[in-house]
Amino acid sequence: MKKLFKFALVAFAAAAVTVACQPANQPATPDKPDTPDTPDTPDKPDTPDEVVPVEGTADWAIIGTLLGSNWDKDYKSAQDGDIYVVKNVKLEAATEFKWRDTTSEKNGWAVNRGGAFTALGEAFDVTQDGANIKPGLDGVYDIYLNLAVDQAAIVAKDGAQPTWKEVTPDPVASNWDFVLDMSNYQVNARIPFSNALTINTGHLTMQWKFYANEWNNYDTNVERNGETYKVWANRLGQLYDGDYGGEGILLRFGDGHKSGSLRLNGGAIIGDAYVQANGDDYIWETGKWHVLSLVADGTNVTVYDNDAQVCQIAQSSAAHDWTFGAIDLSETMDDGDVAYCKGQAFQGYTAYIRMWDKALSTEEVAASLCDVDAKSEGLKGYWKFNLDEGSTVKDEAGSNDINFKTIKAAANSEGGKVTDNSEAIEGAWTSVEEVAPVCAE
C-alpha cells in the first residue's frame, strides 16, 4: 500500500516538474488554428456613380438625345410656379433636346418649346415649335424652363438660376367682356373731338385692336341681310386732321389690292401706301385679334402686327405738330349715298383705339397689346369699346369721349349735319365669348 502511494506521488512530482521546467520564452503549442474560410471573391472596384437626372412629376419634360436616348424618353421636371427644372442631367457635346408638355390631351408635340442656346448660366428665348436646343456642353447640368417669360437656361449643377427677363403680368380675359361689332353698315360714326388732340409726328403712335371675320376685295358682290351690293373696301376707320376733313390716318383693307392687304392714307407721315412685307402685300389674317400699331419717329413709320414688325416706311414730311379733330369708325353715315357706306362696312370687331404722343419701342408695343394704364407716359387718347350698353365710349386717357348721338354725317351730305346712331350702337355690343378673348392670346 505504501509503495503504491509512493509511486503515485513520484509520478505527480515528475509531471509537475515537467510543466515548471519549460523555457520561459517558449510558448505553449497553440491549438491548431481553424482553416480559414476561403474569402469571397471581392467585387470589382466601384465605378463612379451613374449620372441619373433628378426628375419631378410636372407635365413639362425634356426629351432628345439625352443619356443614350433618341427622342424616345421624357425626363419630367419639378415645378415651382411657372419655373420647371430637371437637375443633374448629363450632356455631351452632340446632345440636343426640347421641352414639351407630356399630357395626353396635348397630343405629344402639340405644346413644346425650343430655341437657340446662348451661354451657360444665361436665359435664352424659347418659342412654340422652336429649334432643337443644342448647347454643345459636356458635363452635368441643371436645365430650366420659365414659361412666364418663355425662356430656358442651362446652369452648372446646383448652380443659381439665371436672371430672367421681366415678367409681363398675364392679362385676365374676364377684364375685357365686350367689344363693338362693326358689321352692320349703320355702325358708322364720325365724332368730333371736344378738345383737339395735337401730337408731333416725330413721336407719334396709333394703335387699333381689331378682329376681322372676312375680307372682301375691290368691287366684290356680297349678300348681307337680304341685300346684294358691291364692297369696294373694308374700312376700319380714320383719325382726321383738322375737324372732319383732310386725310388724317385712314385704315382701309383691300381697296384694289389683295383681300386682307392694308392701304394706309396718312398724308402727314406716310402719304398713301400699301403695307407690304418681302415685296408683297402683307395679309392680315381673319379669325384672330390684331393690334395694328403705327409708330412714327420722325424718320420712319414702323408698322406692327401685334408684336411683330411688318415693315418700315420712310416718313413723307419733316416732324411737325399734327392736330386731330375727329375720329370715325367704318365709314361715315352718309344719308345721300347709303350704298357708299355699305360698300365699306368692316366685317368684324373693334376692342380699342389709342393715340400716343410717343414713339413706342418694339418692347413697349409688345407690352401694350392688352390693357395699359390710362396714366401711361405719352398716352393721349384711349377708347375701350368694352360696354354692354349705352352709346358713349369714354376716353380713358383724355377728354374726347365718343358719343354716338353726336355723329357728323359726311360733308357732302347737307353740310355735315349731326345725326343720332345710338340705336345701332346699342345693338352692336358683343360678348367676347362670341368672338375670342381680347386679352388671352
Side-chain angles (χ1 to χ4, degrees):
M1 200 60 176
K2 285 184 180 179
K3 279 186 177 182
L4 180 60
F5 176 76
K6 184 177 179 179
F7 175 78
L9 183 60
V10 171
F12 175 78
V17 170
T18 299
V19 173
C21 289
Q22 288 181 339
N25 61 352
Q26 180 68 40
T29 302
D31 293 335
K32 185 177 181 181
D34 294 332
T35 302
D37 294 332
T38 304
D40 294 330
T41 303
D43 294 335
K44 293 180 180 179
D46 290 342
T47 55
D49 291 340
E50 181 183 359
V51 176
V52 178
V54 178
E55 296 186 74
T57 58
D59 294 330
W60 280 89
I62 53 175
I63 182 173
T65 57
L66 298 157
L67 298 172
S69 62
N70 187 23
W71 299 95
D72 54 2
K73 165 67 177 172
D74 287 294
Y75 294 93
K76 287 199 167 187
S77 61
Q79 180 181 3
D80 182 8
D82 289 312
I83 296 177
Y84 300 80
V85 61
V86 184
K87 293 192 170 186
N88 205 49
V89 181
K90 177 71 171 68
L91 298 180
E92 297 177 348
T95 301
E96 53 187 273
F97 67 92
K98 291 182 76 170
W99 282 92
R100 73 169 175 177
D101 187 329
T102 59
T103 51
S104 57
E105 63 267 27
K106 300 293 184 182
N107 194 25
W109 286 101
V111 180
N112 66 82
R113 295 292 187 275
F117 173 78
T118 53
L120 182 65
E122 291 185 5
F124 58 94
D125 292 339
V126 289
T127 59
Q128 170 69 26
D129 297 324
N132 294 347
I133 300 168
K134 301 177 181 179
L137 299 171
D138 196 341
V140 181
Y141 306 93
D142 298 339
I143 303 177
Y144 284 88
L145 173 67
N146 186 339
L147 283 180
V149 292
D150 269 344
Q151 287 193 309
I154 301 173
V155 304
K157 183 178 181 300
D158 298 325
Q161 289 187 41
T163 300
W164 306 105
K165 65 185 178 184
E166 185 177 350
V167 177
T168 301
D170 286 335
V172 180
S174 61
N175 285 348
W176 214 289
D177 299 316
F178 295 90
V179 290
L180 177 64
D181 184 353
M182 297 171 60
S183 299
N184 183 341
Y185 77 87
Q186 290 184 329
V187 180
N188 292 285
R190 182 181 291 174
I191 298 99
F193 288 155
S194 55
N195 293 286
L197 190 61
T198 301
I199 299 176
N200 191 278
T201 60
H203 39 78
L204 177 152
T205 301
M206 186 191 77
Q207 294 181 296
W208 198 311
K209 189 158 193 173
F210 70 90
Y211 181 109
N213 289 324
E214 62 176 305
W215 296 123
N216 294 288
N217 207 347
Y218 186 81
D219 207 25
T220 301
N221 284 313
V222 298
E223 183 175 345
R224 297 190 182 116
N225 301 319
E227 298 180 87
T228 300
Y229 51 90
K230 290 185 181 298
V231 171
W232 64 276
N234 305 263
R235 181 179 173 129
L236 184 57
Q238 181 170 4
L239 281 119
Y240 287 89
D241 55 7
D243 191 358
Y244 345 89
E247 293 177 323
I249 303 175
L250 170 61
L251 307 175
R252 190 160 51 192
F253 296 84
D255 198 8
H257 274 221
K258 295 178 181 179
S259 293
S261 63
L262 174 61
R263 180 178 181 179
L264 289 173
N265 295 104
I269 53 174
I270 54 174
D272 186 359
Y274 283 91
V275 172
Q276 297 189 323
N278 301 318
D280 197 3
D281 289 342
Y282 180 80
I283 304 303
W284 301 75
E285 297 178 46
T286 58
K288 64 179 290 187
W289 284 105
H290 299 271
V291 177
L292 168 59
S293 298
L294 302 179
V295 180
D297 63 8
T299 302
N300 295 304
V301 176
T302 305
V303 181
Y304 292 89
D305 180 3
N306 293 327
D307 59 352
Q309 179 177 316
V310 176
C311 66
Q312 280 190 332
I313 304 171
Q315 286 193 215
S316 58
S317 61
H320 62 280
D321 286 346
W322 197 4
T323 299
F324 300 92
I327 189 172
D328 83 21
L329 304 176
S330 194
E331 175 51 57
T332 304
M333 190 63 182
D334 186 339
D335 294 340
D337 188 0
V338 175
Y340 181 77
C341 301
K342 294 177 182 179
Q344 295 191 81
F346 180 83
Q347 298 298 309
Y349 307 88
T350 284
Y352 64 68
I353 304 169
R354 299 191 194 121
M355 289 296 292
W356 300 77
D357 188 13
K358 179 180 181 180
L360 297 184
S361 67
T362 299
E363 292 74 19
E364 288 171 325
V365 168
S368 71
L369 299 183
C370 181
D371 204 356
V372 295
D373 190 329
K375 297 180 180 179
S376 297
E377 177 189 359
L379 186 61
K380 297 299 182 181
Y382 185 9
W383 299 275
K384 297 172 66 172
F385 295 87
N386 186 13
L387 300 178
D388 60 346
E389 61 182 5
S391 58
T392 299
V393 179
K394 181 177 175 56
D395 180 0
E396 302 283 336
S399 58
N400 291 308
D401 296 348
I402 297 177
N403 184 349
F404 287 91
K405 289 187 176 182
T406 58
I407 296 171
K408 286 285 185 178
N412 65 353
S413 177
E414 300 182 29
K417 69 178 183 180
V418 175
T419 61
D420 183 346
N421 202 17
S422 57
E423 183 176 347
I425 295 297
E426 282 277 13
W429 303 119
T430 302
S431 169
V432 297
E433 295 178 357
E434 299 180 29
V435 187
V438 172
C439 291
E441 287 102 345

